[in-house]
Amino acid sequence: MRMQDLIEKKRDRKELTRDEIAFLIRGYTRDEIPDYQMAAWLMAGFLNGLTESETQALVEEMLYSGVVLTHDHIHEPKVDKHSTGGVGDKTSLVIAPVAAACGVAVPMISGRALAHTGGTLDKLEAIPGFRTDLSLIEFKAVLKRCGLALIGQTKEIAPADRKLYALRDLTATVPFRPFMCASIMSKKLAEGIDGLVLDVKTGNGAFMREYEDARKLAEMMASLGRRMGKRIVALITDMNQPLGRWVGNAVETMEAIETLQGDLESDFAGLCLELAAQMIVVGEIEIDMNRARSRARNAITSGGALERFRYCIEAQGGDPRVLDDPKLLPQARRASTIIADRTGYVTGIETGEIGRVVMDWGGGRRCLEGAIDYSVGLYIHAKLGDRVKIGDPIITAHYNDESRLDEMQRRLRSAYRVEEAAPHLEPLIKTII
Amino acid sequence: MRMQDLIEKKRDRKELTRDEIAFLIRGYTRDEIPDYQMAAWLMAGFLNGLTESETQALVEEMLYSGVVLTHDHIHEPKVDKHSTGGVGDKTSLVIAPVAAACGVAVPMISGRALAHTGGTLDKLEAIPGFRTDLSLIEFKAVLKRCGLALIGQTKEIAPADRKLYALRDLTATVPFRPFMCASIMSKKLAEGIDGLVLDVKTGNGAFMREYEDARKLAEMMASLGRRMGKRIVALITDMNQPLGRWVGNAVETMEAIETLQGDLESDFAGLCLELAAQMIVVGEIEIDMNRARSRARNAITSGGALERFRYCIEAQGGDPRVLDDPKLLPQARRASTIIADRTGYVTGIETGEIGRVVMDWGGGRRCLEGAIDYSVGLYIHAKLGDRVKIGDPIITAHYNDESRLDEMQRRLRSAYRVEEAAPHLEPLIKTII
C-alpha cells in the first residue's frame, strides 16, 4: 500500500477500506507516513467528506493507536462526561464528585484551555499542589480509591490523535465533523468507560455557533459510540452566555466548590444536576431520570459529593483546605467593575469575546504550550434577560495586568447588548439525543 | 499573514490575492512554510480550483523564485519548444539544430525521463561525454556560439517548481491543470525566450489521454504566456502510438541523427519539420508557414542543421563522432523480435505500455534519482494502420536483461491489437492554438 494512492483515492471521492484507514493511522503514528502526505489526505477528506464506515474505522484506529484502559477491579459502572467546550463551563468539577457519590466510577481524562474556552485541567491546577499528570497506574488507583480521577491526556492515550490534532491545527482541517468526532471519541473510549454523557455546546461562545452543526456532531458521536457497544446520551446545550457567574480558572474552581457546598440556584448548578443525573442513568444506577436527579441533588445536600472531591484532591496531591477556605486559591490583585451605560434588558452577550478577554488578560492560552495566570477572572453580574439600570454593575474583572484595563473594559462593555424590550430566552438544554 | 489562513481561504473556495500567492511561494521556497502546510494548500487548490488570476500569479511567482535569463548579447529571436511528454518523442534533438540553422536561438532547458515517457536529457547523455549540467554562464556561452544549447534544470531556475513538483508527486496533486501549467511555464519563461512552441500530447501514451484535457491545458498555457508578452503557438498532437520507429535513449538519439542526415519520410520527421517551422514563424524569421517549412527542410538537406548539432555536441563536451558512426552510442547486447500471431491491420497500440516496457527493462526511471541503461530500446516495425501477416515482425527489442525477456515479449504482444478491418487513422497534428 502506498500513501499517495490513498490520498488519490480520497481526492477522487472513493471510499477507503478498513485496512487502508488502518495503514494510514498506524503508519502516521509510527512516523512512517510524513506530515505532508497526511496533510494532503486530511484536506481531501475535509473537502470530499468521509463515509460513516470510514469515520468508524478512523475512530477505532485512533482509539487503538494507544492504550485502552480496563478497570476489571472496579465493579461500579464506568461513565464519563465530555463537553465540546464553552465559557464558564466548570461542570466537570461538580458532576464527577456527584456521580461518584452516587455509585458511578468516573475515569475522566480532560483537556486544557484552548482559544476562548476554558479547560478542566487548568481549573484543577489552580488548586495548590493538584497533579493532573498522574501515570495511568496512579490514575487507576485514584479511581479505585475515590470513585473519580481527573487527569490530562497521557502519551499512551490515543497518540494518533495527539499527532493528528497538532497537524490539523496548522492545516485548517480542524472544523470537520468526522475528524472532531474521531478526536473526541478516541480519547474518551480509551478511558475504559461503559457509557458517556456528551454535552455539545452551541451558540456564540461555542465552537459550533449553529444548532444544526452541533446536532449533527452529537448524532455522529452518539451513533459511533453506540455501534461500539457504549451507552451514550448527548445533550445539546446553549452557550450564548457564560455558564454560571464566574469565568476564569481559580474563580471557576471556587464556584464549583460553592455548588458542591449546596448553592444550587444557578443555571450552572441546574445543568450540573441534569448531567450528573444522565450519568447515573447511563450507569444504570437508576432507570428513571427524576429519581436520578434527586439522587444527584442528595449527593450535594448530604455533603457526600464534596467529600468525594476532598478525597480526590488529597489523592492527587492537592491542598484540600481550599474546600474550606477559597482564599487559598490564587487571587488577583486588582478588581474593577464595568457598569451599564443604559437602562434596559440584557439581550445579547458576545460570549466568545468574554472568553477571549480572560485569555488575553493571562487566564488562557493561544497555543497549547502557553502559561496561565490562574487568578484572572470575571464575575458576571448581568445575565441574559436581566434588567439593568444605568450604573448597575455588569461585570467585575479580577486581574493583575493594569496596563490592559482600558482595552478590556472597552471590550467587555461592547460585548453586552442592552435594549428596551426583554429578549426571548432559549432553554439551557435544547435537545437530548 | 499566516499560512493556515491561506489554506482556510482556498479550502473555503475564496480567491487568493497576488500578495497572498507571493507569500505562499516565497515562503515555501525559503523553507519558511513547511511541506505539510503547502500540501494541504495544494490539495485544497486541486479540489476547489484556481482562478485565472491565481494561476497567473502562481506562474509569475514560481518564475521569479529564481533566475530569469536575459540574452542581450544575442540578436537572434529566442524561441524554445516544449513537449508535455510522450513515447518515442525525440523531436527536440532535431528541431533545436534545425531552428538554430534557420536563425533562431534555442535556449533549451529540458527534463528527464519520468514514468513511461522519455526525456531529452537522457537521450543527450547517451552521447559519450555530453554534459547537460552546464552552469548558466556556460549555457549562455554555448547558445551564443552554436545558436542552441541543451541543458537540464539548474538550481537557479524556478527553485519553487523544483520543491513543489517533488511535493506534488508524493501528495497526489500532479494532474491538475493550473499546477501543470505553472510548472511548465515558470521553467520555460526563465530561459529568457521571446516565444515558445508547445507540443501538447494526447492519447494513450500521453499524460492527458483525453483530447479535451489537452486542449484546455494548451489554451491555459498559451493565454498565460501571451499575457506575459510572449509569442506562443500550441499544437495538440496525437500520442496513440510511439512517435517514429525507435523508443529508448541511444536508439532515439540515433533516429534523430538519421533524420538530421536527411531521412525525412517518417511521421517523426514530419512533426519535426512542422514544429521547427512554427519556431521559425514564432521567431519572425518568416511570416508564412509554407516558407518556414521549406526553410526547415533546407536546413536538413543542406547539412546545416547537422553541422549545428555537431557544434553543440562539441561545445557541451560530447563526442561528435557519433554523428558519423552510430555504433559509438551505447549498444544493447541482445535482440529479439516479436512477431504477429494473426493477420490483419494494426488497429491499436498501448503506447503507455510500450514506454513502460522500456522503463522496466532499464531504459527509464520510476523516480527522478534512478539510473538508466541508455542502450535498451525497441524498434517499431508495425505502426497503426499497417497490414501484418502471421509471422511478420511487430517489434524488435534490444536489451541486456535476459531474465525479463518472456515477460516483456508477453507485454509487448498484448500491447498490440490486430483486427480484420483497417482502422480510421487520426491526423498526427490535431489542432493549432
Side-chain angles (χ1 to χ4, degrees):
Chain A
M1 227 179 270
R2 293 193 325 158
M3 182 60 185
Q4 45 266 64
D5 298 328
L6 304 193
I7 300 169
E8 187 176 318
K9 210 168 167 185
K10 187 40 65 191
R11 181 196 82 192
D12 295 342
R13 298 181 166 275
K14 290 178 191 138
E15 185 178 52
L16 269 66
T17 64
R18 177 65 193 240
D19 283 352
E20 288 168 337
I21 299 274
F23 174 85
L24 196 80
I25 297 301
R26 290 175 201 181
Y28 187 60
T29 309
R30 290 183 198 133
D31 297 327
E32 291 162 7
I33 290 172
D35 284 335
Y36 57 82
Q37 287 191 316
M38 184 54 88
W41 189 86
L42 290 172
M43 183 56 79
F46 187 105
L47 290 172
N48 285 340
L50 295 194
T51 65
E52 199 172 87
S53 79
E54 283 175 325
T55 308
Q56 182 85 39
L58 192 63
V59 172
E60 292 178 19
E61 284 300 326
M62 284 168 63
L63 169 61
Y64 290 107
S65 71
V67 169
V68 179
L69 294 175
T70 52
H71 306 283
D72 297 336
H73 58 304
I74 294 174
H75 304 297
E76 289 82 9
K78 274 74 71 180
V79 181
D80 191 13
K81 182 228 57 159
H82 177 79
S83 158
T84 58
V87 177
D89 181 3
K90 65 235 95 187
T91 49
S92 292
L93 276 61
V94 173
I95 64 176
V98 169
C102 296
V104 175
V106 186
M108 189 179 274
I109 300 181
S110 302
R112 297 203 172 272
L114 197 60
H116 63 279
T117 67
T120 299
L121 293 186
D122 299 307
K123 294 166 197 172
L124 289 168
E125 288 175 359
I127 299 171
F130 195 99
R131 284 178 57 215
T132 60
D133 62 348
L134 303 188
S135 70
L136 291 180
I137 291 167
E138 292 173 304
F139 176 63
K140 290 177 72 158
V142 173
L143 179 65
K144 173 78 179 165
R145 183 140 37 105
C146 308
L148 73 159
L150 308 162
I151 64 166
Q153 199 184 345
T154 71
K155 283 195 174 35
E156 301 99 320
I157 297 288
D161 176 65
R162 181 187 297 266
K163 269 195 85 174
L164 276 171
Y165 191 86
L167 185 63
R168 285 167 58 212
D169 193 36
L170 292 164
T171 56
T173 48
V174 167
F176 176 59
R177 265 193 300 280
F179 295 164
M180 294 161 76
C181 178
S183 175
I184 293 169
M185 295 304 280
S186 64
K187 281 179 292 197
K188 287 284 132 181
L189 297 178
E191 296 171 341
I193 49 176
D194 306 310
L196 180 65
V197 175
L198 291 162
D199 182 6
V200 180
K201 302 285 188 195
T202 182
N204 64 15
F207 288 109
M208 278 151 300
R209 296 179 75 94
E210 302 305 323
Y211 172 79
E212 268 309 295
D213 291 337
R215 188 188 58 76
K216 284 179 189 161
L217 179 67
E219 280 180 356
M220 187 180 274
M221 291 195 291
S223 68
L224 259 163
R226 285 169 191 154
R227 274 202 297 277
M228 294 174 75
K230 306 299 175 189
R231 291 188 295 278
I232 314 274
V233 170
L235 280 68
I236 300 175
T237 67
D238 186 73
M239 184 34 73
N240 281 301
Q241 63 177 328
L243 187 61
R245 290 287 173 189
W246 285 99
V247 182
N249 290 286
V251 293
E252 289 193 40
T253 305
M254 181 187 69
E255 188 176 14
I257 292 167
E258 286 168 1
T259 304
L260 284 169
Q261 284 167 338
D263 178 358
L264 295 177
E265 293 314 298
S266 64
D267 59 341
F268 164 63
L271 182 61
C272 287
L273 290 175
E274 197 65 23
L275 289 169
Q278 292 286 3
M279 290 173 76
I280 290 162
V281 170
V282 163
E284 295 179 328
I285 305 277
E286 296 283 358
I287 50 168
D288 176 74
M289 266 300 284
N290 281 329
R291 289 177 62 96
R293 284 186 191 103
S294 60
R295 200 187 261 259
R297 181 175 285 268
N298 286 342
I300 290 180
T301 51
S302 69
L306 190 66
E307 193 180 33
R308 287 286 177 155
F309 197 33
R310 188 183 300 270
Y311 292 161
C312 172
I313 293 172
E314 279 170 355
Q316 298 198 212
D319 184 348
R321 291 176 303 160
V322 296
L323 299 179
D324 313 305
D325 182 6
K327 289 272 186 305
L328 293 173
L329 291 166
Q331 305 284 316
R333 289 190 303 277
R334 300 166 193 274
S336 166
T337 295
I338 289 92
I339 55 170
D341 51 8
R342 60 177 292 186
T343 293
Y345 292 94
V346 177
T347 57
I349 303 176
E350 283 294 333
T351 317
E353 181 67 359
I354 302 286
R356 277 186 294 274
V357 165
V358 172
M359 173 177 78
D360 293 341
W361 229 344
R365 50 170 73 81
R366 289 194 170 275
C367 62
L368 275 171
E369 284 73 32
I372 270 192
D373 179 348
Y374 295 112
S375 70
V376 170
L378 304 176
Y379 182 82
I380 311 293
H381 296 277
K383 303 222 7 161
L384 283 184
D386 284 357
R387 184 158 177 84
V388 292
K389 290 195 299 292
I390 292 179
D392 279 354
I394 291 179
I395 285 184
T396 298
H398 298 258
Y399 62 98
N400 294 305
D401 182 0
E402 180 82 11
S403 73
R404 302 195 68 174
L405 181 61
D406 284 352
E407 170 205 347
M408 297 306 183
Q409 283 179 325
R410 196 171 51 246
R411 284 170 63 180
L412 289 170
R413 189 169 289 117
S414 23
Y416 265 75
R417 197 168 66 235
V418 174
E419 294 175 308
E420 270 180 35
H424 167 73
L425 293 179
E426 293 281 319
L428 182 51
I429 297 173
K430 291 166 173 286
T431 315
I432 298 176
I433 289 164
Chain B
M1 228 178 269
R2 294 193 324 156
M3 182 59 186
Q4 45 267 63
D5 298 329
L6 303 193
I7 301 170
E8 188 175 317
K9 210 167 168 185
K10 188 38 66 190
R11 181 195 82 193
D12 295 343
R13 298 180 165 275
K14 291 178 190 138
E15 186 178 49
L16 270 66
T17 64
R18 178 65 192 237
D19 283 351
E20 287 169 336
I21 298 274
F23 173 86
L24 196 79
I25 297 300
R26 291 175 201 182
Y28 186 60
T29 309
R30 291 183 197 132
D31 297 327
E32 290 162 9
I33 290 172
D35 284 333
Y36 56 84
Q37 288 190 316
M38 183 53 88
W41 189 86
L42 289 173
M43 183 56 80
F46 187 107
L47 290 172
N48 286 341
L50 294 196
T51 65
E52 200 173 85
S53 80
E54 284 175 324
T55 308
Q56 182 85 40
L58 192 64
V59 172
E60 292 178 19
E61 285 300 327
M62 283 168 63
L63 170 60
Y64 291 106
S65 71
V67 169
V68 179
L69 294 175
T70 51
H71 307 284
D72 296 335
H73 58 303
I74 295 175
H75 304 297
E76 289 81 10
K78 273 74 72 181
V79 181
D80 191 14
K81 182 230 56 162
H82 176 79
S83 158
T84 58
V87 176
D89 182 3
K90 65 232 99 189
T91 49
S92 292
L93 276 62
V94 172
I95 64 176
V98 168
C102 296
V104 174
V106 187
M108 190 180 273
I109 301 182
S110 303
R112 299 203 169 272
L114 198 59
H116 63 279
T117 68
T120 299
L121 293 187
D122 299 307
K123 293 165 199 174
L124 290 168
E125 288 175 359
I127 298 170
F130 196 99
R131 283 178 56 216
T132 61
D133 62 347
L134 304 187
S135 71
L136 291 180
I137 291 168
E138 294 174 303
F139 176 65
K140 291 177 72 157
V142 173
L143 178 65
K144 173 77 179 164
R145 183 140 37 103
C146 308
L148 73 158
L150 308 162
I151 62 165
Q153 200 184 345
T154 72
K155 283 196 172 35
E156 301 99 321
I157 297 289
D161 176 65
R162 184 187 294 268
K163 270 196 84 176
L164 276 171
Y165 191 86
L167 185 63
R168 286 166 58 212
D169 192 36
L170 292 165
T171 56
T173 48
V174 167
F176 176 59
R177 264 192 301 278
F179 294 164
M180 293 162 75
C181 179
S183 175
I184 292 170
M185 296 303 281
S186 64
K187 281 179 293 195
K188 288 284 131 180
L189 297 177
E191 296 171 341
I193 48 176
D194 307 309
L196 180 64
V197 175
L198 291 162
D199 181 6
V200 181
K201 303 286 188 194
T202 180
N204 64 15
F207 286 110
M208 278 151 300
R209 297 178 74 93
E210 301 305 323
Y211 172 79
E212 268 309 295
D213 291 337
R215 188 187 57 75
K216 285 179 188 161
L217 179 67
E219 281 180 355
M220 186 180 276
M221 292 195 291
S223 68
L224 259 163
R226 285 169 191 155
R227 274 201 298 275
M228 294 173 76
K230 306 301 175 186
R231 292 189 295 278
I232 314 273
V233 171
L235 280 68
I236 301 175
T237 67
D238 186 73
M239 184 35 72
N240 281 301
Q241 62 177 330
L243 187 61
R245 290 286 174 189
W246 285 100
V247 181
N249 290 287
V251 293
E252 289 194 39
T253 305
M254 182 186 68
E255 188 176 14
I257 292 169
E258 286 168 3
T259 303
L260 286 169
Q261 285 167 337
D263 178 359
L264 295 176
E265 294 312 298
S266 64
D267 59 341
F268 163 63
L271 182 60
C272 286
L273 290 175
E274 197 64 24
L275 290 169
Q278 293 285 4
M279 291 172 75
I280 291 162
V281 170
V282 163
E284 296 178 330
I285 305 279
E286 297 282 359
I287 51 167
D288 175 74
M289 265 301 283
N290 281 329
R291 289 177 63 94
R293 282 187 193 104
S294 60
R295 203 187 257 259
R297 181 176 284 268
N298 287 341
I300 290 181
T301 51
S302 69
L306 190 66
E307 195 181 32
R308 287 287 177 152
F309 197 33
R310 187 182 301 271
Y311 292 160
C312 173
I313 292 174
E314 278 171 356
Q316 297 196 216
D319 184 349
R321 292 177 302 159
V322 296
L323 299 179
D324 312 306
D325 181 4
K327 289 272 184 305
L328 292 172
L329 291 166
Q331 305 285 315
R333 289 190 305 277
R334 301 166 194 273
S336 166
T337 295
I338 288 93
I339 56 170
D341 52 8
R342 60 176 294 187
T343 293
Y345 292 95
V346 176
T347 57
I349 302 176
E350 283 294 334
T351 318
E353 180 68 358
I354 301 287
R356 277 187 293 275
V357 165
V358 171
M359 172 178 80
D360 293 341
W361 229 344
R365 50 170 71 83
R366 288 193 169 275
C367 63
L368 275 171
E369 284 73 33
I372 271 193
D373 179 348
Y374 295 112
S375 69
V376 171
L378 303 177
Y379 182 81
I380 312 292
H381 296 277
K383 303 222 6 163
L384 283 184
D386 284 356
R387 184 157 175 85
V388 293
K389 292 195 298 292
I390 292 179
D392 279 355
I394 292 178
I395 284 183
T396 298
H398 297 259
Y399 63 97
N400 293 308
D401 182 358
E402 179 83 11
S403 73
R404 302 194 70 174
L405 181 60
D406 284 351
E407 171 205 346
M408 295 307 181
Q409 283 179 327
R410 197 170 51 245
R411 284 170 62 180
L412 289 171
R413 189 168 289 118
S414 22
Y416 266 74
R417 197 168 65 235
V418 174
E419 293 176 308
E420 269 180 35
H424 168 73
L425 293 179
E426 293 281 320
L428 181 51
I429 297 174
K430 291 166 173 287
T431 314
I432 298 176
I433 289 165

